[in-house]
Amino acid sequence: MNSVYIIAEMSANHCGDKELAKKIIKAAKDSGADAIKLQTYTADTLTIDCKNEYFHIKEGLWEGRYLYDLYKEACTPWEWQKELKNYADKIGIELFSTPFDKTSVDFLESIGVKKYKIASFEAVDYELIKYTASKGRPVIISTGISSFKEIQEAIDICKSAGNSDITILKCTSAYPAGAEDMNLLTIKDMIEKFTPQGIKVGLSDHSTNNEISIAATALGATVIEKHFTLDRALGGADAGFSMNPDEFKELVNSIRLTEKALGRVCYDVNEKNRALARSIFAIKDIKKGEKLTEKNIKIIRPGFGLHPKYYNDIIGKSAKRNIKYGTPIHKEMLGLGKNV
């Protein structure tokens, strides 16, 4: 079993085409993702149809759009989602979703999803978190706009609902996110502060490269989430910071390689390699009774002789037998017992 759970986030990259959504699910499976994630909302469950300044996006990827119009265009139709879930089950990839209100939680329960993701901007909606957590399924929470106090409050709310299967994701809520804004060392701090509470830690990565997620894996992240598309040229609200199948497959392979390299805490000595280390050898013929000196013994490669730490201890000791040039020195040659 892999230690890092890799999520391909489809979001709006289906471009309103159900068959394209299925192709994205298949491509995510073929690219090595552990799961494909949807978002379950309508424009009306997220916001209101109001065109004043409060609902107008003023910068970033969606600059100039109104929230209601953007969400209406980007949503994944609910009538697709059971079919997409069945398709994902059939080809062997987990499908789950982000609910944005209680009705979407109820809907997702009805189609049998096995876990939930709370988006960064909903991570301060404690009523939603409590209701979602009450279903008893694993809950993943992005923390892109949450303070430390709010993260702890969200965790406590999940636990108060009887749910302790919680993962928090370090997230930079920028689309795309620059490397200089990622602050990945926060992952280490999250691990130190939250894993004693039984919380898992991961990364929701909105950058446009692989290195960020690989670094997060090295820091101890156990979940990586990346936006995924079949082809950025197809468009879609999130295409600009989504990975295509070749890029995602490369990411998965890099994460799996990083997992192998991380391995375990290990101070074992490879004895084959140890043979190439230094040890004490005779560099001249030494006669029985002759004393060992700097002239006739030396610390050299290979490692078949006495450990170098004994060099000063045996200087001045007498050989108990003849020792030929190029012979590894051992304690029994000096009447000192066995090598250590």
Side-chain angles (χ1 to χ4, degrees), residues 284-293 295-297 314-323 333-334:
K284 287 185 178 180
D285 288 338
I286 303 172
K287 294 180 180 179
K288 181 179 178 179
E290 184 179 349
K291 291 187 175 183
L292 274 58
T293 71
K295 304 279 188 185
N296 57 22
I297 66 169
I314 65 174
I315 289 291
K317 302 294 183 184
S318 298
K320 300 302 181 183
R321 62 177 177 83
N322 292 334
I323 305 172
M333 297 173 174
L334 311 174

Side-chain angles (χ1 to χ4, degrees), residues 241-257:
F241 56 95
S242 298
M243 307 188 80
N244 67 35
D246 288 341
E247 292 164 339
F248 201 92
K249 186 173 185 178
E250 182 181 343
L251 172 65
V252 170
N253 290 340
S254 296
I255 289 173
R256 299 304 176 218
L257 181 62

Side-chain angles (χ1 to χ4, degrees), residues 169-214:
L169 303 185
K170 170 67 180 77
C171 180
T172 299
S173 293
Y175 310 93
E180 66 279 6
D181 298 319
M182 297 301 292
N183 295 315
L184 290 184
L185 287 178
T186 309
I187 291 172
K188 286 182 65 177
D189 194 66
M190 284 177 159
I191 290 169
E192 290 171 6
K193 289 183 169 66
F194 294 113
T195 56
Q197 303 178 43
I199 308 303
K200 298 177 281 292
V201 176
L203 174 71
S204 178
D205 182 6
H206 299 141
S207 71
T208 56
N209 59 62
N210 287 348
E211 288 80 2
I212 303 298
S213 289
I214 294 166

Side-chain angles (χ1 to χ4, degrees), residues 7 164 224 244:
I7 303 166
S164 296
I224 298 292
N244 67 35

Side-chain angles (χ1 to χ4, degrees), residues 42-61:
T42 67
D44 292 299
T45 64
L46 271 180
T47 190
I48 58 174
D49 187 5
C50 182
K51 297 297 193 291
N52 70 27
E53 61 176 314
Y54 300 111
F55 298 87
H56 190 242
I57 303 170
K58 297 175 178 60
E59 59 183 8
L61 189 64

Side-chain angles (χ1 to χ4, degrees), residues 70-84:
L70 176 65
Y71 299 145
K72 187 174 181 180
E73 174 188 311
C75 69
T76 303
W78 292 24
E79 59 268 23
W80 295 2
Q81 294 190 28
K82 182 173 178 57
E83 184 178 344
L84 296 182

Side-chain angles (χ1 to χ4, degrees), residues 112-133:
V113 301
K114 302 301 183 184
K115 61 169 58 77
Y116 292 107
K117 161 77 185 298
I118 301 294
S120 286
F121 297 109
E122 276 60 49
V124 293
D125 185 346
Y126 295 162
E127 286 302 308
L128 174 61
I129 291 173
K130 183 176 182 180
Y131 190 73
T132 304

